[in-house]
Coordinates of all heavy atoms in Angstrom, one line a residue:
I319 N -34.4 -6.2 19.3 CA -34.1 -5.4 18.1 C -35.3 -5.0 17.3 O -35.3 -4.1 16.5 CB -33.0 -6.2 17.2 CG1 -32.5 -5.4 16.0 CG2 -33.7 -7.4 16.6 CD1 -31.2 -4.7 16.3
L320 N -36.4 -5.8 17.4 CA -37.6 -5.7 16.5 C -38.1 -4.2 16.4 O -38.3 -3.7 15.3 CB -38.7 -6.6 17.0 CG -38.4 -8.1 16.7 CD1 -39.5 -9.0 17.3 CD2 -38.3 -8.3 15.2
P321 N -38.3 -3.5 17.6 CA -38.8 -2.1 17.4 C -37.8 -1.2 16.6 O -38.3 -0.1 16.2 CB -39.0 -1.7 18.8 CG -38.8 -2.9 19.7 CD -38.1 -3.9 18.9
H322 N -36.6 -1.6 16.5 CA -35.6 -0.6 15.8 C -35.6 -0.9 14.4 O -34.7 -0.3 13.6 CB -34.3 -0.9 16.5 CG -34.2 -0.5 17.9 ND1 -34.1 0.8 18.4 CD2 -34.4 -1.3 19.0 CE1 -34.2 0.8 19.7 NE2 -34.3 -0.5 20.1
L323 N -36.3 -1.9 13.8 CA -36.3 -2.2 12.4 C -37.3 -1.5 11.7 O -38.4 -1.2 12.2 CB -36.4 -3.7 12.3 CG -35.3 -4.6 13.0 CD1 -35.6 -6.0 12.9 CD2 -33.9 -4.2 12.5
D324 N -37.1 -1.2 10.4 CA -38.1 -0.5 9.6 C -39.1 -1.5 9.1 O -40.3 -1.1 8.9 CB -37.4 0.2 8.4 CG -36.5 1.3 8.9 OD1 -37.0 2.3 9.5 OD2 -35.3 1.2 8.8
N325 N -38.8 -2.7 9.0 CA -39.8 -3.8 8.5 C -39.2 -5.1 8.8 O -38.0 -5.3 8.9 CB -40.0 -3.6 7.0 CG -41.4 -4.0 6.6 OD1 -42.0 -4.7 7.4 ND2 -41.9 -3.7 5.4
T326 N -40.1 -6.1 8.9 CA -39.7 -7.5 9.1 C -40.6 -8.4 8.1 O -41.6 -8.0 7.8 CB -39.9 -8.0 10.5 OG1 -41.3 -7.8 10.9 CG2 -39.0 -7.3 11.5
D327 N -40.0 -9.6 7.8 CA -40.9 -10.5 7.0 C -41.9 -11.1 8.0 O -41.8 -11.0 9.2 CB -40.0 -11.5 6.3 CG -39.4 -12.4 7.2 OD1 -39.3 -12.3 8.4 OD2 -38.9 -13.5 6.7
A328 N -42.9 -11.8 7.4 CA -44.0 -12.3 8.2 C -43.5 -13.3 9.2 O -44.0 -13.3 10.4 CB -45.1 -13.0 7.2
H329 N -42.5 -14.2 8.9 CA -42.1 -15.2 9.8 C -41.5 -14.5 11.0 O -41.7 -14.9 12.2 CB -40.9 -16.0 9.2 CG -41.4 -16.9 8.1 ND1 -40.9 -16.8 6.9 CD2 -42.4 -17.8 8.1 CE1 -41.5 -17.8 6.2 NE2 -42.4 -18.4 6.8
T330 N -40.7 -13.5 10.9 CA -40.1 -12.9 12.0 C -41.1 -12.2 12.9 O -40.9 -12.3 14.1 CB -39.1 -11.7 11.5 OG1 -38.3 -12.3 10.4 CG2 -38.2 -11.1 12.5
A331 N -42.1 -11.6 12.4 CA -43.1 -11.0 13.2 C -43.8 -12.1 13.9 O -44.1 -11.9 15.2 CB -44.1 -10.3 12.2
K332 N -44.1 -13.2 13.3 CA -44.9 -14.3 14.1 C -44.0 -14.8 15.1 O -44.5 -15.1 16.3 CB -45.2 -15.4 13.0 CG -46.6 -15.6 12.8 CD -47.0 -16.9 12.1 CE -46.6 -17.0 10.7 NZ -47.0 -18.2 10.0
I333 N -42.7 -15.1 14.8 CA -41.9 -15.7 15.8 C -41.5 -14.7 16.9 O -41.3 -15.1 18.1 CB -40.5 -16.3 15.2 CG1 -40.9 -17.3 14.2 CG2 -39.5 -16.8 16.1 CD1 -39.8 -17.6 13.2
G334 N -41.5 -13.5 16.6 CA -41.2 -12.5 17.6 C -39.7 -12.3 17.8 O -39.3 -11.9 18.9
A335 N -38.9 -12.8 16.9 CA -37.4 -12.8 17.1 C -36.7 -12.6 15.8 O -37.3 -13.2 14.8 CB -36.9 -14.0 17.8
C336 N -35.7 -11.8 15.7 CA -35.0 -11.6 14.4 C -33.5 -11.9 14.6 O -32.9 -11.5 15.6 CB -35.1 -10.1 14.1 SG -33.9 -9.5 13.0
N337 N -33.0 -12.7 13.7 CA -31.6 -13.0 13.9 C -30.7 -12.5 12.7 O -29.5 -12.7 12.6 CB -31.3 -14.5 14.0 CG -31.6 -15.3 12.7 OD1 -32.2 -14.9 11.8 ND2 -30.9 -16.5 12.6
T338 N -31.4 -11.8 11.7 CA -30.8 -11.3 10.5 C -31.3 -9.9 10.2 O -32.5 -9.7 10.1 CB -31.1 -12.3 9.4 OG1 -30.8 -13.6 9.7 CG2 -30.2 -11.9 8.1
V339 N -30.4 -9.0 10.0 CA -30.8 -7.7 9.6 C -30.1 -7.3 8.3 O -28.9 -7.6 8.1 CB -30.5 -6.6 10.7 CG1 -30.7 -5.2 10.2 CG2 -31.2 -6.9 12.0
V340 N -30.7 -6.8 7.4 CA -30.1 -6.3 6.1 C -30.5 -4.8 5.9 O -31.6 -4.4 6.2 CB -30.5 -7.1 4.9 CG1 -32.0 -7.1 4.7 CG2 -29.7 -6.8 3.7
R341 N -29.4 -4.0 5.5 CA -29.8 -2.6 5.2 C -30.0 -2.6 3.7 O -29.3 -2.9 2.9 CB -28.5 -1.8 5.5 CG -28.8 -0.2 5.4 CD -27.5 0.6 5.4 NE -26.8 0.4 6.5 CZ -26.9 1.2 7.7 NH1 -27.7 2.2 7.6 NH2 -26.1 1.1 8.7
G342 N -31.2 -2.1 3.5 CA -31.7 -2.0 2.1 C -31.0 -0.9 1.4 O -30.3 -0.1 2.0
Q343 N -31.2 -0.8 0.0 CA -30.6 0.4 -0.7 C -31.2 1.7 -0.3 O -30.6 2.7 -0.5 CB -30.8 0.1 -2.2 CG -29.9 -1.0 -2.7 CD -30.0 -1.2 -4.2 OE1 -30.9 -0.8 -4.9 NE2 -29.0 -1.9 -4.8
D344 N -32.4 1.6 0.3 CA -33.0 2.8 0.8 C -32.5 3.2 2.1 O -33.0 4.2 2.7 CB -34.6 2.7 0.9 CG -34.9 1.4 1.6 OD1 -34.0 0.8 2.2 OD2 -36.1 1.0 1.7
G345 N -31.5 2.5 2.6 CA -30.9 2.8 3.9 C -31.7 2.2 5.1 O -31.3 2.3 6.2
K346 N -32.9 1.6 4.8 CA -33.7 1.2 5.9 C -33.3 -0.2 6.4 O -32.6 -1.0 5.6 CB -35.1 1.1 5.5 CG -35.8 2.5 5.2 CD -37.3 2.4 5.0 CE -37.8 3.8 4.9 NZ -39.1 3.8 4.3
L347 N -33.6 -0.6 7.7 CA -33.2 -1.9 8.2 C -34.4 -2.8 8.2 O -35.5 -2.6 8.7 CB -32.8 -1.7 9.7 CG -31.6 -0.7 9.9 CD1 -31.3 -0.6 11.4 CD2 -30.3 -1.2 9.2
Y348 N -34.1 -4.0 7.5 CA -35.1 -5.1 7.4 C -34.7 -6.3 8.1 O -33.5 -6.7 8.2 CB -35.3 -5.4 5.9 CG -35.8 -4.3 5.1 CD1 -34.9 -3.4 4.4 CD2 -37.1 -4.1 4.9 CE1 -35.4 -2.3 3.7 CE2 -37.7 -3.0 4.2 CZ -36.7 -2.1 3.6 OH -37.2 -1.0 2.9
G349 N -35.7 -6.9 8.9 CA -35.4 -8.1 9.7 C -35.9 -9.3 9.2 O -37.0 -9.4 8.6
F350 N -35.1 -10.4 9.3 CA -35.5 -11.7 9.0 C -35.2 -12.7 10.1 O -34.4 -12.4 10.9 CB -34.8 -12.2 7.7 CG -35.0 -11.3 6.5 CD1 -34.2 -10.2 6.3 CD2 -36.0 -11.6 5.6 CE1 -34.5 -9.4 5.1 CE2 -36.2 -10.9 4.4 CZ -35.5 -9.7 4.3
N351 N -35.8 -13.9 10.0 CA -35.4 -14.9 10.9 C -34.9 -16.2 10.1 O -35.8 -16.8 9.5 CB -36.6 -15.3 11.9 CG -36.1 -16.2 13.0 OD1 -35.4 -17.2 12.7 ND2 -36.4 -15.9 14.2
T352 N -33.7 -16.5 10.1 CA -33.2 -17.7 9.3 C -33.1 -18.9 10.2 O -32.5 -19.9 9.7 CB -31.8 -17.3 8.7 OG1 -30.8 -17.2 9.7 CG2 -31.9 -16.1 7.9
D353 N -33.4 -18.8 11.5 CA -33.4 -20.0 12.3 C -34.4 -21.1 11.7 O -34.2 -22.3 11.8 CB -33.8 -19.8 13.7 CG -32.5 -19.2 14.5 OD1 -31.4 -19.4 14.0 OD2 -32.8 -18.6 15.5
I354 N -35.5 -20.6 11.1 CA -36.5 -21.5 10.4 C -35.7 -22.4 9.4 O -35.8 -23.5 9.4 CB -37.6 -20.8 9.8 CG1 -38.5 -20.1 10.9 CG2 -38.5 -21.7 8.9 CD1 -39.7 -19.5 10.4
A355 N -34.9 -21.6 8.5 CA -34.2 -22.4 7.4 C -33.2 -23.4 8.1 O -33.0 -24.5 7.6 CB -33.5 -21.4 6.6
G356 N -32.6 -22.9 9.3 CA -31.7 -23.7 10.0 C -32.3 -25.0 10.5 O -31.6 -26.1 10.6
V357 N -33.6 -25.1 10.8 CA -34.3 -26.2 11.2 C -34.8 -27.1 10.1 O -34.6 -28.3 10.0 CB -35.5 -25.8 12.2 CG1 -36.3 -27.1 12.6 CG2 -35.0 -25.1 13.4
I358 N -35.4 -26.3 9.2 CA -36.1 -27.1 8.0 C -35.2 -27.7 7.1 O -35.3 -28.9 6.7 CB -37.0 -26.1 7.3 CG1 -38.2 -25.6 8.3 CG2 -37.7 -26.7 6.1 CD1 -39.0 -26.7 8.9
R359 N -34.1 -27.0 6.7 CA -33.3 -27.6 5.6 C -32.6 -28.9 6.0 O -32.7 -29.9 5.2 CB -32.1 -26.6 5.3 CG -32.6 -25.4 4.4 CD -31.5 -24.5 4.1 NE -32.0 -23.4 3.3 CZ -31.2 -22.5 2.7 NH1 -29.9 -22.4 3.0 NH2 -31.7 -21.4 2.0
P360 N -32.0 -29.0 7.2 CA -31.4 -30.3 7.6 C -32.5 -31.4 7.6 O -32.3 -32.6 7.3 CB -30.8 -30.1 8.9 CG -30.6 -28.7 9.0 CD -31.7 -28.0 8.3
L361 N -33.7 -31.1 8.2 CA -34.7 -32.1 8.2 C -35.2 -32.6 6.8 O -35.4 -33.8 6.6 CB -35.9 -31.5 9.0 CG -35.8 -31.5 10.5 CD1 -37.1 -30.8 11.1 CD2 -35.7 -33.0 11.1
E362 N -35.3 -31.6 6.0 CA -35.8 -31.9 4.6 C -34.9 -32.9 3.9 O -35.3 -33.6 3.0 CB -36.0 -30.7 3.7 CG -37.3 -30.0 4.0 CD -37.4 -28.6 3.3 OE1 -36.4 -28.1 2.8 OE2 -38.6 -28.1 3.2
Q363 N -33.6 -32.8 4.3 CA -32.7 -33.7 3.7 C -32.8 -35.2 4.2 O -32.3 -36.1 3.6 CB -31.3 -33.3 4.0 CG -30.8 -32.0 3.3 CD -29.7 -31.3 3.8 OE1 -28.9 -31.9 4.7 NE2 -29.3 -30.1 3.3
R364 N -33.6 -35.3 5.3 CA -33.8 -36.7 5.8 C -35.1 -37.3 5.7 O -35.3 -38.6 5.7 CB -33.3 -36.8 7.4 CG -32.0 -37.0 7.6 CD -31.2 -35.7 7.8 NE -29.9 -36.0 8.3 CZ -29.0 -34.9 8.5 NH1 -29.3 -33.7 8.2 NH2 -27.8 -35.2 9.0
L365 N -36.2 -36.4 5.7 CA -37.5 -37.0 5.7 C -38.5 -35.9 5.1 O -38.2 -34.8 5.0 CB -38.0 -37.5 7.1 CG -37.8 -36.5 8.3 CD1 -39.0 -35.6 8.5 CD2 -37.6 -37.3 9.5
S366 N -39.7 -36.5 4.9 CA -40.8 -35.5 4.4 C -41.4 -34.8 5.7 O -41.8 -35.6 6.6 CB -41.8 -36.3 3.6 OG -43.0 -35.5 3.6
I367 N -41.4 -33.6 5.7 CA -41.9 -32.9 7.0 C -43.4 -33.0 7.0 O -44.0 -33.1 8.2 CB -41.4 -31.4 7.0 CG1 -39.9 -31.4 7.1 CG2 -42.0 -30.7 8.1 CD1 -39.2 -30.1 7.2
E368 N -44.1 -33.0 5.9 CA -45.5 -33.0 5.9 C -46.0 -34.2 6.6 O -45.6 -35.3 6.4 CB -46.1 -33.0 4.5 CG -47.6 -32.7 4.5 CD -48.0 -32.4 3.1 OE1 -47.3 -32.5 2.1 OE2 -49.3 -32.1 3.0
N369 N -47.0 -34.0 7.6 CA -47.5 -35.0 8.5 C -46.6 -35.7 9.4 O -46.9 -36.7 10.2 CB -48.2 -36.1 7.6 CG -49.4 -35.5 6.9 OD1 -50.1 -34.6 7.4 ND2 -49.6 -36.0 5.6
A370 N -45.3 -35.3 9.5 CA -44.4 -35.9 10.4 C -44.7 -35.5 11.8 O -45.3 -34.4 12.1 CB -43.0 -35.4 10.1
K371 N -44.6 -36.4 12.8 CA -44.8 -36.1 14.2 C -43.5 -35.7 14.8 O -42.6 -36.4 14.9 CB -45.3 -37.4 14.9 CG -46.7 -37.9 14.4 CD -47.0 -39.1 15.3 CE -48.4 -39.6 15.2 NZ -49.0 -39.6 13.9
V372 N -43.6 -34.4 15.3 CA -42.4 -33.8 15.8 C -42.5 -33.4 17.3 O -43.5 -32.7 17.6 CB -41.9 -32.6 15.0 CG1 -40.5 -32.1 15.4 CG2 -41.9 -32.9 13.5
L373 N -41.6 -33.7 18.1 CA -41.6 -33.2 19.5 C -40.5 -32.2 19.6 O -39.3 -32.3 19.3 CB -41.2 -34.4 20.5 CG -40.9 -33.9 21.9 CD1 -42.1 -33.4 22.6 CD2 -40.3 -35.1 22.7
V374 N -40.9 -31.0 20.1 CA -39.9 -29.8 20.2 C -39.7 -29.7 21.7 O -40.7 -29.4 22.5 CB -40.4 -28.6 19.6 CG1 -39.5 -27.4 19.9 CG2 -40.5 -28.7 18.1
L375 N -38.6 -29.8 22.2 CA -38.2 -29.5 23.7 C -37.8 -28.0 23.7 O -36.8 -27.6 23.1 CB -37.0 -30.4 24.1 CG -37.3 -31.9 23.9 CD1 -36.0 -32.6 24.3 CD2 -38.5 -32.4 24.8
G376 N -38.5 -27.2 24.7 CA -38.2 -25.8 24.8 C -39.3 -25.0 24.2 O -40.1 -25.4 23.3
A377 N -39.3 -23.7 24.6 CA -40.4 -22.8 24.0 C -39.8 -21.4 23.9 O -40.5 -20.4 23.9 CB -41.6 -22.8 25.0
G378 N -38.5 -21.3 23.8 CA -37.8 -20.0 23.7 C -37.7 -19.7 22.2 O -38.5 -20.2 21.4
G379 N -36.8 -18.8 21.9 CA -36.7 -18.2 20.5 C -36.5 -19.3 19.5 O -37.2 -19.3 18.5
A380 N -35.5 -20.2 19.7 CA -35.2 -21.1 18.7 C -36.4 -22.2 18.5 O -36.7 -22.6 17.5 CB -33.9 -21.9 19.1
A381 N -37.0 -22.5 19.7 CA -38.1 -23.4 19.7 C -39.3 -22.8 18.8 O -40.0 -23.5 18.0 CB -38.6 -23.8 21.0
R382 N -39.5 -21.5 19.0 CA -40.5 -20.9 18.3 C -40.3 -20.9 16.8 O -41.2 -21.2 16.1 CB -40.7 -19.3 18.7 CG -41.2 -19.2 20.2 CD -41.3 -17.7 20.6 NE -42.3 -17.0 19.8 CZ -43.6 -17.0 20.2 NH1 -44.0 -17.6 21.2 NH2 -44.4 -16.3 19.4
A383 N -39.1 -20.7 16.4 CA -38.7 -20.8 14.9 C -39.0 -22.2 14.5 O -39.6 -22.4 13.4 CB -37.3 -20.4 14.7
A384 N -38.6 -23.1 15.2 CA -38.9 -24.6 14.8 C -40.4 -24.9 14.7 O -40.9 -25.4 13.7 CB -38.2 -25.5 15.8
V385 N -41.1 -24.5 15.7 CA -42.6 -24.8 15.8 C -43.3 -24.1 14.6 O -44.0 -24.8 13.9 CB -43.1 -24.4 17.1 CG1 -44.7 -24.6 17.1 CG2 -42.5 -25.3 18.3
F386 N -43.1 -22.9 14.4 CA -43.8 -22.2 13.3 C -43.3 -22.7 12.0 O -44.2 -22.9 11.1 CB -43.5 -20.7 13.4 CG -44.4 -20.0 14.4 CD1 -43.9 -19.4 15.6 CD2 -45.8 -19.8 14.2 CE1 -44.7 -18.9 16.5 CE2 -46.6 -19.2 15.1 CZ -46.1 -18.7 16.3
G387 N -42.1 -23.0 11.8 CA -41.5 -23.5 10.5 C -42.1 -24.9 10.2 O -42.5 -25.1 9.1

Side-chain angles (χ1 to χ4, degrees):
I319 188 96
L320 288 173
H322 299 276
L323 303 175
D324 295 294
N325 208 346
T326 57
D327 69 346
H329 292 124
T330 309
K332 242 196 293 187
I333 296 165
C336 161
N337 74 336
T338 309
V339 175
V340 60
R341 187 195 297 270
Q343 283 184 343
D344 54 6
K346 291 186 173 165
L347 300 178
Y348 296 91
F350 298 86
N351 190 311
T352 67
D353 281 341
I354 293 187
V357 175
I358 297 301
R359 287 181 179 184
L361 280 175
E362 279 175 342
Q363 290 164 7
R364 271 98 171 173
L365 49 87
S366 160
I367 294 179
E368 194 169 2
N369 297 323
K371 292 182 166 44
V372 186
L373 169 66
V374 175
L375 305 176
R382 290 180 68 82
V385 171
F386 280 108

